[in-house]
Amino acid sequence: RIPMFNKYPIFEVRFSASQKDILQSDYTFQHLAVRIFKQVNLAPFGYTLVTAEAGKIFGRVPFPLLQIHRANQTYSYQLNSYNLMNFLEFISDEYASLDVHHYFNGFFFNKIPLFKKLKWREVATIKLLYGIISDNNNPDLHNDLFKLPLDQFGEPQSFSLKRKPYVEVSVGISNIFKIIRVDLIKRLSYTDNPHVDEYGIRARAKFDF
């Protein structure tokens, strides 16, 4: 499967539903999500990949069936995850996100003789996520819903994004030995949450030519 990018955005709509007592389901709910992807060419400064997504869950369900936002606690860089977010850290039933990846294609490094010979490439990323747990799915307001998980010390482990968006930014070098990308990542919000890192280094392997 090879995407063929052009000047037009790509729209993706996902819908899933469950009806109580059908196929042994315990809950009735619907999940609607809309995703928009666009590649923006900014020659000679490279190109930008922009992904925006929004979703909503209708119905009352326990938190495992809500949107548990994609986190990453490994040392690999994951394009579609939040690389300094802990597993189960943020949960929502209404959410919106924006991911911007800019690839400079050697705009800076090609002006440095050694880096030009190495053919390294610069990349910068910003990821934003906002969401809420509505009153309908708030376990603090409904005793029939699972409580949000606690850590081994009995402190909250999962949170809503109601206060402000989650934001992380990164700068990196790709095309190292043709396959390696290394990023320095900084988490800009919710740095006071327990067991989180404000900075991180992640790497991934990808063939670039």
Side-chain angles (χ1 to χ4, degrees):
R1 182 178 179 183
I2 301 175
M4 304 295 289
F5 301 132
N6 55 40
K7 64 180 181 179
Y8 300 106
I10 298 171
F11 292 85
E12 177 184 347
V13 178
R14 302 190 307 274
F15 179 79
S16 59
S18 173
Q19 181 64 42
K20 187 176 181 179
D21 298 327
I22 295 181
L23 298 178
Q24 299 182 340
S25 175
D26 294 323
Y27 302 97
T28 297
F29 70 97
Q30 302 82 39
H31 186 176
L32 175 65
V34 179
R35 182 176 182 267
I36 305 172
F37 171 85
K38 180 73 171 74
Q39 176 173 312
V40 181
N41 294 315
L42 299 171
F45 303 103
Y47 64 95
T48 302
L49 304 181
V50 181
T51 304
E53 183 173 347
K56 180 176 175 60
I57 295 172
F58 302 88
R60 181 181 296 173
V61 292
F63 79 83
L65 295 177
L66 300 180
Q67 181 68 17
I68 301 175
H69 298 291
R70 297 182 296 268
N72 176 29
Q73 289 185 260
T74 72
Y75 289 104
S76 66
Y77 185 88
Q78 298 180 7
L79 294 176
N80 297 318
S81 299
Y82 301 95
N83 290 282
L84 290 182
M85 182 186 292
N86 291 335
F87 297 134
L88 292 173
E89 186 176 355
F90 293 109
I91 300 173
S92 305
D93 62 3
E94 299 178 26
Y95 60 92
S97 66
L98 178 67
D99 291 3
V100 180
H101 302 259
H102 185 75
Y103 297 83
F104 289 92
N105 275 354
F107 178 77
F108 298 106
F109 285 170
N110 284 346
K111 297 176 174 60
I112 305 173
L114 176 60
F115 285 2
K116 182 177 182 180
K117 187 174 181 180
L118 292 172
K119 296 184 179 179
W120 287 357
R121 299 290 182 261
E122 322 89 328
V123 58
T125 300
I126 181 170
K127 297 184 178 186
L128 301 95
L129 172 67
Y130 181 72
I132 64 170
I133 299 177
S134 65
D135 290 346
N136 188 49
N137 286 307
N138 188 340
D140 293 333
L141 302 178
H142 302 283
N143 293 327
D144 58 327
L145 295 177
F146 298 157
K147 298 300 181 182
L148 296 180
L150 305 175
D151 63 16
Q152 65 269 34
F153 304 108
E155 297 296 326
Q157 182 180 347
S158 299
F159 307 90
S160 168
L161 289 152
K162 195 170 185 177
R163 287 192 292 138
K164 55 187 175 183
Y166 173 88
V167 184
E168 69 178 32
V169 296
S170 68
V171 291
I173 301 174
S174 66
N175 206 39
I176 302 172
F177 305 120
K178 296 290 186 183
I179 62 171
I180 304 291
R181 169 177 167 176
V182 178
D183 283 74
L184 173 64
I185 310 168
K186 178 173 173 54
R187 174 170 169 152
L188 299 181
S189 59
Y190 295 98
T191 55
D192 55 345
N193 279 6
H195 317 301
V196 302
D197 294 321
E198 190 173 346
Y199 291 91
I201 295 177
R202 303 289 185 268
R204 72 186 299 260
K206 178 181 179 294
F207 288 95
D208 287 323
F209 299 98

